[in-house]
Amino acid sequence: MTDLLRKDPGAVPSDLASCLASGPPRATAFIVTIYGDAVAPRGGVLSMRSLIEAGRAHGLSESLMRTAVSRLVTAGRLSGERIGRTSHYRLTEAAQAEFGAAARILYDPPVAPRGWLFAMTDAAPGEGWAEVASGLWAAPDRSDIDRPEGLTFAADVVAGAPDLPAFAAAHWPLDAVAAAYRTFLSDFAPLRADSAVLRDVSAEAALVLRLRLVHAYRAAALADPRLPDAALPADWPGAAARALFISAYLALSPGADLRIAQVFEDAQGPLPRETEATRDRMQRLGREAALHNITRK
């Protein structure tokens, strides 16, 4: 149970509270979610005090949050600076690049694969590639897939298309990703509610719900190899999970962004309610919702 529900059981409508009924998220991973969703598009710096308050709302103690921040500093993803009596933490350059790549998966329209890439190399070419034979690697041909320096081919399926799902399932963790999407759809099914219901929750509840929404969807979406549709099972849940994420994110964001401006701060003071980066994010999600007729009542 979150600290929000412990303090005020009525803070979230009862039909939405089940989204928060699970135990607290892992502190280190959750801090990554906080920075990626709320802090990175607002300058990338947050006070320790704000992090502690954000964690407390989700049932994470001050000691857990401090330990998790220390681990992220050791891992080179955050760097700290003490100003007066308060420590502030910013994303390192390496983390900014990592967060940018993750943000494109979460908040940008999906990049459609054009076909397949095959590379001949002894070393793994990078994320999204799978070794299909000794020294032969395959990946979906997308603009965001890194190409290795070695011999690489672009290919299309010219025969045996019905065997493509079996080929994909044998080389990418599609069962695990599908299970993660289905768990997300089940856990956050209450957020399919009329958008007016989500917009009417308090700003505090909106931020709590949005952070948990992003945290859960992020875990599934970042593991998804995003293969061509023809390689996926007929009951692939990715599109349904994407639709739920977009509709709930758009509905919760006015309140969530207001709460960020109320309780999150960097060395200069409160974080802004919105920035050019957050407005651009919302516009991209809105265009995707309109394109795919994702209902927002």
Side-chain angles (χ1 to χ4, degrees), residues 60-295:
L60 295 168
S61 68
E62 177 177 343
S63 63
L64 279 174
M65 294 297 284
R66 289 188 181 278
T67 298
V69 167
S70 178
R71 288 173 178 164
L72 289 167
V73 170
T74 301
R77 301 175 82 182
L78 292 178
S79 63
E81 179 183 13
R82 192 167 184 85
I83 301 175
R85 300 177 62 183
T86 304
S87 295
H88 296 79
Y89 292 88
R90 70 170 59 251
L91 296 171
T92 62
E93 288 188 14
Q96 288 178 32
E98 178 186 341
F99 277 53
R104 286 189 289 273
I105 293 174
L106 296 181
Y107 307 112
D108 288 4
V111 178
R114 297 184 295 268
W116 296 90
L117 296 172
F118 288 88
M120 298 179 67
T121 176
D122 292 331
E127 189 173 350
W129 290 84
E131 191 170 24
V132 298
S134 180
L136 179 63
W137 298 76
D141 185 2
R142 300 193 316 264
S143 60
D144 59 345
I145 287 283
D146 290 335
R147 271 65 167 167
E149 294 183 359
L151 188 60
T152 304
F153 303 89
D156 291 316
V157 175
V158 296
D163 296 330
L164 191 55
F167 166 80
H171 296 100
W172 286 271
L174 296 185
D175 286 346
V177 174
Y181 276 138
R182 291 192 177 99
T183 297
F184 170 78
L185 286 165
S186 174
D187 289 350
F188 290 88
L191 298 190
R192 296 179 187 273
D194 188 316
S195 293
V197 174
L198 301 187
R199 287 194 295 267
D200 284 346
V201 301
S202 70
E204 183 179 10
L207 180 58
V208 168
L209 286 166
R210 194 180 80 176
L211 285 174
R212 291 294 274 268
L213 173 83
V214 173
H215 190 67
Y217 181 72
R218 173 180 170 271
L222 296 189
D224 187 348
R226 292 171 286 143
L227 303 179
D229 288 345
L232 299 175
D235 60 348
W236 184 250
R242 180 72 181 166
L244 172 56
F245 172 75
I246 291 173
S247 62
Y249 192 95
L250 289 171
L252 290 168
S253 284
D257 290 340
L258 172 61
R259 185 61 177 172
I260 287 170
Q262 292 173 340
V263 298
F264 282 12
E265 63 180 10
D266 60 15
Q268 281 69 52
L271 296 189
R273 181 172 180 175
E274 61 178 16
T275 64
E276 183 177 350
T278 64
R279 288 189 293 270
D280 184 57
R281 176 181 291 180
M282 292 291 287
Q283 288 168 2
R284 292 196 305 272
L285 288 173
R287 288 194 295 268
E288 188 177 344
L291 179 63
H292 297 286
N293 196 27
I294 296 172
T295 302

Side-chain angles (χ1 to χ4, degrees), residues 10-32:
V12 179
S14 59
D15 53 345
L16 303 181
S18 62
C19 299
L20 307 174
S22 61
R26 287 195 310 111
T28 303
F30 194 61
I31 289 172
V32 171

